[in-house]
């Protein structure tokens, strides 16, 4: 790079050590520290500057005050996030807590080792929200690329995170909004009384299901105040159980 654009690794804003730019891609350390035995120079670059890079070659040239010089080079390989895959969701419409939605991650590959096993995590966020802060995990990170899940009511955006064993992650949003109609109070009561109880001991799955059930309680205007209060109380109990199980894990 020219070192003049912020997208260039050697731009001044990307460096954590003070070096002088003397030509495109060439930096000079004018503050070399020397002792009786050796001289020391360092190059430090801010995090994420090399995002997306596969291989980067760095060369070093050392010149003495007498004009003698020596050089060396270092090849750095960066771990890149998985790619090439697709993300599918079926069906595109359904009923909260009743319709099973199938989420499929297909043909994802590690860029350095194509045969490497990858980890998949599925989540949901309200359509229009661009932050992970409003995201609910549907299936925690695992080797399973296909899951069947229940969704909360409303217009929903499905999220897929694909990671390699070193943590490099590709986050993909499903291209279409999924519409989920509110369920019935009977279905919600059954889900809280039966389905959540079956998840005791699996903290992550229980937390996700409690979050989905809570959104369903809030969406059902037909619920009486007494029934809504009872359901929220049950969900709080399950939430405490999930936190306790998570602490033990």
């Amino acid at each position: 790079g020219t070192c003049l654009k912020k997208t260039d690794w050697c731009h001044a804003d990307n460096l954590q050590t003070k070096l002088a730019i003397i030509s495109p891609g060439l930096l000079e350390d004018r503050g070399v520290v020397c002792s009786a035995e050796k001289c020391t120079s360092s190059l430090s670059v801010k995090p994420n500057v090399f995002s997306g890079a596969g291989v980067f070659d760095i060369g070093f040239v050392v010149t003495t005050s007498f004009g003698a010089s020596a050089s060396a080079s270092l090849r750095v390989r960066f771990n890149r996030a998985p790619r090439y895959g697709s993300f599918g969701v079926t069906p595109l419409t359904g009923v909260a807590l009743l319709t099973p939605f199938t989420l499929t991650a297909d043909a994802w590959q590690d860029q350095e080792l194509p045969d490497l096993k990858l980890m998949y995590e599925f989540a949901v966020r309200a359509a229009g929200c661009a932050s992970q802060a409003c995201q609910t995990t549907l299936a925690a990170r695992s080797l399973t690329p296909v899951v069947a899940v229940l969704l909360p009511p409303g217009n929903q955006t499905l999220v897929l995170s694909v990671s390699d064993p070193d943590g490099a992650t590709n986050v993909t949003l499903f291209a279409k909004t999924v519409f989920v109609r509110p369920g019935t109070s009977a279905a919600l009561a059954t889900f809280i009384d039966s389905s959540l109880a079956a998840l005791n001991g699996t903290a992550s799955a229980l937390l996700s299901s409690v979050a989905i059930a809570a959104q369903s309680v809030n969406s059902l205007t037909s619920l009486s105040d007494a029934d809504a209060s009872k359901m929220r109380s049950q969900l709080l109990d399950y939430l405490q159980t999930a936190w306790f199980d998570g602490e033990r894990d």
Side-chain angles (χ1 to χ4, degrees), residues 169-214:
T169 303
N170 186 313
V171 178
T172 300
L173 305 184
F174 185 60
K176 297 180 180 179
T177 298
V178 176
F179 178 67
V180 187
R181 300 188 302 278
T184 64
S185 56
L188 179 55
T190 299
F191 182 81
I192 293 175
D193 292 337
S194 302
S195 299
L196 292 183
L199 294 174
N200 280 334
T202 55
S204 61
L206 184 54
L207 280 172
S208 300
S209 296
V210 166
I212 292 172

Side-chain angles (χ1 to χ4, degrees), residues 7-247:
T7 53
D8 294 330
W9 73 270
C10 51
H11 187 274
D13 288 350
N14 296 329
L15 302 176
Q16 296 187 138
T17 46
K18 298 293 184 181
L19 301 178
I21 301 171
I22 58 176
S23 65
L26 186 61
L27 306 176
E28 183 179 61
D29 187 352
R30 295 173 179 171
V32 176
V33 178
C34 294
S35 65
E37 295 81 20
K38 63 180 180 179
C39 294
T40 302
S41 176
S42 63
L43 169 65
S44 178
V45 181
K46 290 181 179 179
N48 301 318
V49 168
F50 294 107
S51 294
V55 178
F56 197 80
D57 291 321
I58 300 176
F60 305 87
V61 178
V62 180
T63 304
T64 70
S65 57
F66 303 105
S69 64
S71 63
S73 63
L74 175 68
R75 170 160 289 189
V76 181
R77 294 186 181 275
F78 296 95
N79 183 29
R80 294 173 291 174
R83 63 177 180 178
Y84 302 124
S86 63
F87 180 26
V89 178
T90 56
L92 297 180
T93 61
V95 180
L97 303 181
L98 286 176
T99 304
F101 290 84
T102 300
L103 316 183
T104 304
D106 185 51
W108 290 87
Q109 288 184 0
D110 183 79
Q111 295 195 57
E112 289 75 36
L113 300 170
D115 295 328
L116 193 67
K117 289 185 177 180
L118 302 174
M119 305 288 284
Y120 305 90
E121 180 176 283
F122 299 89
V124 61
R125 62 176 70 159
C129 175
S131 169
Q132 290 186 352
C134 57
Q135 187 167 296
T136 299
T137 300
L138 296 170
R141 207 162 68 112
S142 74
L143 294 171
T144 305
V146 181
V147 297
V149 299
L150 300 177
L151 296 179
N155 295 330
Q156 306 294 346
T157 297
L158 279 302
V159 184
L160 166 67
S161 299
V162 186
S163 307
D164 69 13
D166 293 320
T169 303
N170 186 313
V171 178
T172 300
L173 305 184
F174 185 60
K176 297 180 180 179
T177 298
V178 176
F179 178 67
V180 187
R181 300 188 302 278
T184 64
S185 56
L188 179 55
T190 299
F191 182 81
I192 293 175
D193 292 337
S194 302
S195 299
L196 292 183
L199 294 174
N200 280 334
T202 55
S204 61
L206 184 54
L207 280 172
S208 300
S209 296
V210 166
I212 292 172
Q215 293 178 58
S216 296
V217 171
N218 295 334
S219 72
L220 280 177
T221 57
S222 60
L223 276 179
S224 68
D225 290 343
D227 286 341
S229 178
K230 175 186 175 183
M231 289 179 177
R232 290 190 178 101
S233 178
Q234 289 176 287
L235 292 177
L236 281 174
D237 289 340
Y238 281 120
L239 195 58
Q240 290 177 336
T241 299
W243 280 338
F244 179 72
D245 290 341
E247 287 295 324

